[in-house]
Amino acid sequence: MTMEEVAELHFCEEKATYQDTTLAKFVKRCSPKAWRDFFTHKRVSEAIERADDAIRYAKKEIDAIQAKQPKLLRYRYHIEPPMQLMLEAFNRVSPENIKVVILGQDPTPQEGKATGRAFSVEDPRTVGSVMNVLLEVALEGWSVDLSNGDLSKWENQGVLLLNSALTIGEIEYIDENDNGKIKRKQVSHLGYWCEFTKLLIRYISYDLAEPSVWILWGNVAQDFTVDRVFDTFSKCYNPTQASTTDITKEQSLISRPKNYVLMGGHPSPLSSAGGMNTFFAGHYFHCVNLFLYEKRHGAYIKWGLVDGHSEKLNVGSLFYPCPEFH
């Protein structure tokens, strides 16, 4: 390895930070070679550049806090995951190996827990949505370890763990209006990443030769697949609009019937608060394998996460048939 290559590796894996490096610069230098056709596309580069300041500085959100307390002097703005992990999902799965895309929402906001891979964390007991995903895997008869949320075994088989937004922010500040208490405000980056993610969905769905399965958990993931005209961040993604969108009646960015779409509620424990849980018992993993076996020449995913206990293939229920994929 040359000195230049060593320096580049050091930059991508250790040195780059949101404070000192633009998103465009990091993507240009650190995006995986297998994904370069996508990341170097003009529209993709422009989408990243447009979102850069809003993501890295959160001026709009900080100004909103400052409007309520003009003397706001002490605050800390933090972004998860670290920049080194922002593209980790792409490092794990190359385009030609994609069989399944699990589309999540934001990265987990807890500091130090986000990995850059949707629903994959070190300790699932601290992230409720990840714990529920593991419980759903177990419900379908596959092996899990509820103390280990690493989904590398899935990625090694072609499952892309993609968040709708690659980053999430948090502002920590001293609230002088509340006796100097430390407050935290989560800053969603969904609107800022929306254009990029829509371009990515179209690229995987239309440009890659092989069909894939899309698992869309929650309103956000489902809304991101809608092909709509927009000219602002808020028109690309609007939480109110997303909560009422019926994607079965909208033009989709996912090419069908080439690809197969499975939908369910978000696995977050909060998503079913006060209402019906629409995540559990969706038979997602069974239906994925039925499609792959027929459309990808006998392929399937071993969803089991414990070594030596991942061969349970005859799962599913005649009482819950999979959506048609003809």
Side-chain angles (χ1 to χ4, degrees):
M1 187 178 289
T2 66
M3 291 297 292
E4 290 80 6
E5 290 171 332
V6 171
E8 196 73 351
L9 187 64
H10 176 67
F11 172 80
C12 295
E13 295 186 354
E14 298 182 36
K15 186 178 178 182
T17 67
Y18 295 108
Q19 291 77 21
D20 303 324
T21 307
T22 66
L23 301 180
K25 180 179 180 181
F26 181 76
V27 167
K28 182 177 181 180
R29 294 178 62 174
C30 303
S31 58
K33 290 182 179 179
W35 285 92
R36 288 293 166 89
D37 283 349
F38 171 73
F39 280 106
T40 57
H41 192 283
K42 181 181 178 182
R43 289 188 63 190
V44 174
S45 299
E46 290 173 347
I48 292 172
E49 289 173 0
R50 273 192 287 273
D52 185 87
D53 282 353
I55 290 172
R56 293 199 302 127
Y57 300 117
K59 183 178 185 302
K60 174 185 173 183
E61 291 80 7
I62 292 172
D63 284 350
I65 296 175
Q66 201 151 25
K68 297 180 180 179
Q69 43 182 30
K71 295 182 180 180
L72 178 70
L73 297 174
R74 297 172 60 189
Y75 67 87
R76 171 178 174 263
Y77 176 55
H78 177 73
I79 299 174
E80 285 288 336
M83 183 170 264
Q84 291 83 2
L85 295 177
M86 188 181 78
L87 301 178
E88 187 62 18
F90 305 96
N91 288 325
R92 299 297 186 104
V93 185
S94 60
E96 63 270 20
N97 289 334
I98 293 175
K99 295 185 180 72
V100 183
V101 180
I102 297 180
L103 187 60
Q105 188 168 312
D106 310 91
T108 183
Q110 295 101 313
E111 191 165 346
K113 298 189 182 301
T115 62
R117 302 140 61 210
F119 303 110
S120 184
V121 298
E122 182 176 341
D123 186 355
R125 293 169 296 187
T126 62
V127 183
S129 60
V130 178
M131 178 60 77
N132 282 345
V133 169
L134 296 184
L135 292 175
E136 176 68 11
V137 175
L139 185 64
E140 291 199 26
W142 298 91
S143 61
V144 298
D145 179 352
L146 297 182
S147 65
N148 183 359
D150 180 15
L151 303 182
S152 297
K153 291 181 184 298
W154 295 0
E155 293 169 308
N156 293 339
Q157 300 174 79
V159 180
L160 179 65
L161 303 173
L162 178 66
N163 280 311
S164 296
L166 300 189
T167 58
I168 191 170
E170 183 180 77
I171 303 169
E172 182 181 278
Y173 64 98
I174 305 296
D175 190 346
E176 301 296 347
N177 297 326
D178 192 8
N179 300 316
K181 290 183 178 179
I182 297 176
K183 299 287 184 69
R184 293 177 176 84
K185 179 178 176 57
Q186 188 172 305
V187 179
S188 174
H189 294 165
L190 285 166
Y192 306 137
W193 282 109
C194 180
E195 182 180 4
F196 166 88
T197 303
K198 285 180 178 290
L199 291 169
L200 176 60
I201 292 169
R202 181 180 288 278
Y203 171 77
I204 296 172
S205 169
Y206 280 89
D207 292 4
L208 301 186
E210 294 286 353
S212 55
V213 183
W214 292 75
I215 300 179
L216 310 178
W217 284 329
N219 293 329
V220 173
Q222 293 164 22
D223 186 73
F224 264 56
T225 67
V226 173
D227 187 3
R228 64 168 59 97
V229 177
F230 58 88
D231 55 9
T232 63
F233 294 134
S234 61
K235 288 183 180 178
C236 186
Y237 170 72
N238 181 289
T240 302
Q241 177 177 261
S243 67
T244 59
T245 298
D246 180 355
I247 69 169
T248 64
K249 299 178 181 178
E250 301 279 356
Q251 182 69 31
S252 179
L253 294 168
I254 301 175
S255 172
R256 287 179 282 185
K258 171 189 172 184
N259 302 286
Y260 186 39
V261 176
L262 296 166
M263 296 186 292
H266 194 275
S268 168
L270 299 176
S271 66
S272 59
M276 184 176 67
N277 186 300
T278 57
F279 168 71
F280 285 114
H283 289 239
Y284 312 104
F285 311 110
H286 168 64
C287 295
V288 165
N289 280 348
L290 286 183
F291 177 85
L292 292 179
Y293 193 83
E294 180 169 328
K295 302 294 185 179
R296 294 288 293 264
H297 316 296
Y300 58 85
I301 304 297
K302 297 178 182 179
W303 295 104
L305 293 169
V306 178
D307 288 335
H309 299 276
S310 62
E311 295 292 339
K312 187 174 179 62
L313 302 179
N314 296 319
V315 294
S317 169
L318 295 176
F319 299 103
Y320 191 95
C322 297
E324 291 186 4
F325 50 79
H326 302 297

